[in-house]
Amino acid sequence: SLEKKLNTKKPDFKSLTGVMSASYETEDESVNLRINFRVKKDSAIWMSAKIAGLIPVAKALITPDQVSFYQKINNEYFEGDYSLINDLFGIPVNFNQLQNLLLGQPVIDPFQQKARFSQDAASYFVSRPYDQQLSYQSAWFKNSLQLNKQQINQNTKNKQLLINYDRYKSIDGNSYPIDFFILASNIDSQVRIGVKVKKIEKVDDIRLPFSIPDNYT
């Protein structure tokens, strides 16, 4: 089945390290960042961001239990649950879903419940109808079984999350996304996050240095 084939394509690694450029755009602001990132599989995502590739502005450490980050512009920090990320994406997410997003895997499993499946010459399409949390979600996979696009709708709240993967890089037979964007929208606003991975490699172990500076609020 397609589901079993996709499971064999999940990236196999202990840790990842790399560099990405990321853009954050709303109607009111636009920010471009260079981000060093590290992923320790199933346990931590670490990021350190700079503006213009030179000026450190923020650092984050995300684990299954907690989201922590600080930003230097206003000397502020946050330690808590996933509520800020949930607000950004418009849907409730956990650590595994966030890790899946970075790895080019479905944020929400499209095969649960009564999934509809179709295929054409270039792609596979899977959709899943309403459940208690989501109104509708769908996923498109290339013939290579790489995730091309996932769309998640909450019609009752007029919210939509779209994740679109343009390019992948192969490392040891596994595919990792290196060019993708996230579009989170509701009736009042829209956020677009574009990501281009400049460098990514598998490593056996990584350090995750993180401590909130003194005198931050």
Side-chain angles (χ1 to χ4, degrees):
S1 68
L2 176 61
E3 183 177 6
K4 289 181 179 178
K5 289 179 182 177
L6 290 169
N7 284 334
T8 66
K9 293 288 186 178
K10 288 183 177 180
D12 180 25
F13 67 96
K14 291 181 180 178
S15 300
L16 295 173
T17 180
V19 180
M20 66 173 72
S21 63
S23 61
Y24 173 90
E25 299 174 20
T26 68
E27 290 183 2
D28 302 319
E29 64 177 324
S30 176
V31 179
N32 293 291
L33 299 170
R34 180 180 175 88
I35 300 173
N36 290 306
F37 70 92
R38 301 170 187 174
V39 180
K40 195 168 187 176
K41 190 175 183 182
D42 299 333
S43 63
I45 298 169
W46 176 96
M47 295 186 178
S48 179
K50 297 179 180 180
I51 287 182
L54 298 171
I55 306 168
V57 291
K59 189 174 283 189
L61 179 64
I62 302 169
T63 67
D65 300 321
Q66 183 170 272
V67 174
S68 305
F69 74 86
Y70 63 86
Q71 54 101 341
K72 296 188 173 185
I73 296 173
N74 298 317
N75 290 0
E76 294 177 336
Y77 76 92
F78 172 86
E79 281 185 308
D81 59 19
Y82 278 72
S83 56
L84 283 179
I85 298 177
N86 295 345
D87 290 344
L88 176 64
F89 289 156
I91 64 168
V93 295
N94 57 33
F95 178 86
N96 286 334
Q97 292 168 324
L98 202 58
Q99 180 178 257
N100 281 347
L101 189 154
L102 293 173
L103 297 176
Q105 301 293 308
V107 172
I108 295 175
D109 184 357
F111 295 97
Q112 293 176 353
Q113 297 184 345
K114 297 180 180 179
R116 290 168 43 216
F117 170 83
S118 62
Q119 180 181 5
D120 60 25
S123 62
Y124 301 94
F125 172 74
V126 183
S127 64
R128 196 181 101 191
Y130 175 85
D131 64 21
Q132 291 183 345
Q133 288 185 317
L134 306 168
S135 303
Y136 179 78
Q137 72 134 323
S138 51
W140 291 258
F141 298 89
K142 302 175 184 177
N143 274 343
S144 60
L145 300 181
Q146 295 169 338
L147 180 62
N148 183 212
K149 181 168 65 174
Q150 184 167 33
Q151 182 176 314
I152 301 164
N153 288 54
Q154 285 185 292
N155 291 337
T156 55
K157 298 180 180 178
N158 293 306
K159 293 182 178 180
Q160 183 183 93
L161 179 67
L162 175 66
I163 307 164
N164 195 97
Y165 296 94
D166 289 324
R167 289 191 299 131
Y168 286 80
K169 179 179 181 178
S170 180
I171 303 175
D172 295 338
N174 292 145
S175 294
Y176 297 87
I178 58 170
D179 189 353
F180 61 96
F181 70 84
I182 303 157
L183 192 65
S185 57
N186 59 42
I187 198 167
D188 298 316
S189 63
Q190 180 172 285
V191 174
R192 188 186 192 280
I193 301 171
V195 176
K196 293 186 184 298
V197 177
K198 307 294 186 182
K199 176 185 176 183
I200 183 171
E201 58 183 338
K202 292 169 58 174
V203 292
D204 287 333
D205 199 15
I206 48 173
R207 292 178 60 250
L208 303 169
F210 184 90
S211 61
I212 293 166
D214 295 336
N215 303 319
Y216 274 44
T217 55

